[in-house]
Amino acid sequence: MKKAVIAGILLIIVAVIGGTWYYFNRTKTDDGSLTLYGNVDIRQVSLAFEQPGRIQKLTVQEGEVVKKGEVLATLNTDSLNIQKQQAEAQLKVQQQTVIEQDVGTRPEQITQAEAILASALTQLDKSEKDLKRMQVLFNSTAGQAISKQELDYAKSNQATAAAAVKEKQANLALLKHGARREDREAAKAQTEVAQAGLDLIDYQIQRSVLVSPVDAVVRARLQEVGDMTTAQKPVFTLALTNPKWVRVYANEIQLGQIKMGGMAQIVRDSQPNKPIAGKIGFISSVAEFTPKTVQTEDIRTSLVYEVRIYVEDPNDALKMGQPVTVNIVQAKAE
């Protein structure tokens, strides 16, 4: 009875050891390579206009290959073109003001002001002489020759003529000195403001053209001609063709057989006889629970490490999310 129990225990131990060995070595092939399962991964770019507007033109469709700098879409810019014309006119007005202040007063304007001042001085001299004569007559005749009202009128004419002379003298001085430094600085600042407004409109017109930032493949066309778009609404989704990699997950035992820079073969289910060469370019240093996308169900709850195998795929044979088999060539455990 005891021998039967001992034999049973030994059989259980052997079964456990054999199962463990099979679990950790079932992905090894006869030639020493390691087989893992994963999916193709590609970076994506969502393209949107920087400003709102109505889409006027779309130049590409889903699946088309685009080059860096290629125009993909344009917005209607009629209103921006009108604003640009207004900004250009305002800028010209400000520039002319600055030019006039820098050039200063023309000689003809100064000559004209001097002539006006001379006329005012003549009028002042006449009014002063008239006032003196009336004062003499008024004092010598005790107010019999002229009335007090006439004398006051002469005084008023003399004061008005004197004020006009001061005004003309001040105007002539301003013309000779030109604009104040503060006024010139203010005019230049207004010119800079007008130039900045024009530059902003030019920038908005330039950004009304959507171009591809990289070489890529159009994955989705999300809007159509006539749609109103904003910066929060992508127009296209682009899939970057380079770099392209396969994401797989390896447990701790398998991790010892994977080396940076190691070669690998990517096998597709549709064409198993045409593997694509790849190279290990990333090995995570942090363990994580196996994602649900991993095909082997029995290790989904295990701690694994992410591994990326970068591939050159000029013919775009690998599609995003495609499940593939990865054979890591000549994998050797330390």
Side-chain angles (χ1 to χ4, degrees):
M1 184 66 179
K2 291 183 179 181
K3 290 182 179 181
V5 173
I6 294 174
I9 294 173
L10 290 175
L11 288 175
I12 293 174
I13 294 174
V14 170
V16 171
I17 294 174
T20 303
W21 180 90
Y22 172 77
Y23 174 78
F24 288 111
N25 292 275
R26 68 192 186 284
T27 57
K28 294 180 182 178
T29 60
D30 294 338
D31 59 0
S33 63
L34 178 66
T35 300
L36 298 174
Y37 304 92
N39 299 83
V40 178
D41 202 352
I42 301 174
R43 287 193 176 97
Q44 296 186 104
V45 178
S46 295
L47 294 183
F49 288 99
E50 292 187 11
Q51 59 187 10
R54 188 174 299 279
I55 298 177
Q56 185 173 17
K57 186 178 181 181
L58 296 173
T59 61
V60 294
Q61 300 286 347
E62 289 93 342
E64 291 189 24
V65 178
V66 296
K67 299 295 183 181
K68 181 178 180 180
E70 182 178 342
V71 175
L72 306 181
T74 57
L75 292 178
N76 185 288
T77 58
D78 291 344
S79 62
L80 289 176
N81 291 330
I82 295 174
Q83 294 176 26
K84 181 178 180 179
Q85 294 176 357
Q86 293 175 338
E88 288 175 341
Q90 293 175 353
L91 178 60
K92 288 181 179 179
V93 171
Q94 292 299 327
Q95 289 174 339
Q96 289 300 319
T97 301
V98 172
I99 292 174
E100 290 177 2
Q101 293 179 346
D102 290 340
V103 172
T105 307
R106 292 182 298 176
E108 294 82 0
Q109 291 177 301
I110 295 178
T111 301
Q112 183 183 31
E114 290 175 342
I116 293 174
L117 175 59
S119 176
L121 288 171
T122 301
Q123 185 65 30
L124 174 62
D125 181 65
K126 179 180 181 300
S127 64
E128 288 178 344
K129 289 179 179 178
D130 290 342
L131 177 60
K132 287 180 180 180
R133 284 196 300 268
M134 287 188 178
Q135 286 177 335
V136 171
L137 289 174
F138 183 82
N139 294 331
S140 62
T141 62
Q144 297 300 318
I146 60 174
S147 65
K148 182 70 169 53
Q149 183 179 2
E150 291 175 321
L151 179 62
D152 291 340
Y153 183 75
K155 290 180 179 179
S156 176
N157 285 341
Q158 187 274 336
T160 301
V165 168
K166 290 183 179 179
E167 178 186 0
K168 302 304 185 290
Q169 288 174 336
N171 184 53
L172 178 60
L174 285 175
L175 291 176
K176 288 183 177 181
H177 287 89
R180 295 184 304 170
R181 182 175 62 85
E182 293 82 358
D183 293 337
R184 292 182 180 180
E185 295 296 329
K188 291 180 180 179
Q190 290 295 328
T191 303
E192 293 175 356
V193 171
Q195 182 64 59
L198 179 59
D199 292 342
L200 177 60
I201 295 175
D202 285 336
Y203 176 81
Q204 291 174 338
I205 292 175
Q206 292 175 0
R207 294 303 176 182
S208 296
V209 178
L210 189 64
V211 300
S212 175
V214 292
D215 296 343
V217 176
V218 179
R219 204 162 167 261
R221 174 167 154 167
L222 305 175
Q223 298 189 59
E224 295 299 329
V225 174
D227 285 343
M228 287 296 298
T229 186
T230 65
Q232 290 74 36
K233 295 174 62 177
V235 181
F236 291 103
T237 300
L238 304 183
L240 305 186
T241 56
N242 187 31
K244 184 181 293 187
W245 67 86
V246 174
R247 189 194 308 269
V248 298
Y249 293 89
N251 58 40
E252 188 172 354
I253 300 299
Q254 297 166 339
L255 193 65
Q257 302 173 267
I258 301 173
K259 305 299 178 185
M260 284 291 295
M263 301 304 296
Q265 294 290 331
I266 313 302
V267 180
R268 296 163 290 165
D269 294 341
S270 58
Q271 293 180 312
N273 297 326
K274 294 183 179 180
I276 299 175
K279 181 182 294 186
I280 298 172
F282 172 79
I283 302 175
S284 176
S285 59
V286 180
E288 57 182 296
F289 283 105
T290 310
K292 292 182 179 180
T293 55
V294 174
Q295 301 301 318
T296 51
E297 298 181 359
D298 54 344
I299 64 169
R300 284 183 178 174
T301 58
S302 303
L303 286 175
V304 292
Y305 298 83
E306 178 185 344
V307 179
R308 295 182 187 177
I309 297 91
Y310 289 88
V311 297
E312 294 291 337
D313 187 19
N315 298 324
D316 196 28
L318 298 175
K319 308 301 181 182
M320 184 174 179
Q322 180 180 5
V324 293
T325 301
V326 178
N327 295 321
I328 299 178
V329 182
Q330 296 180 355
K332 297 180 181 178
E334 290 187 351

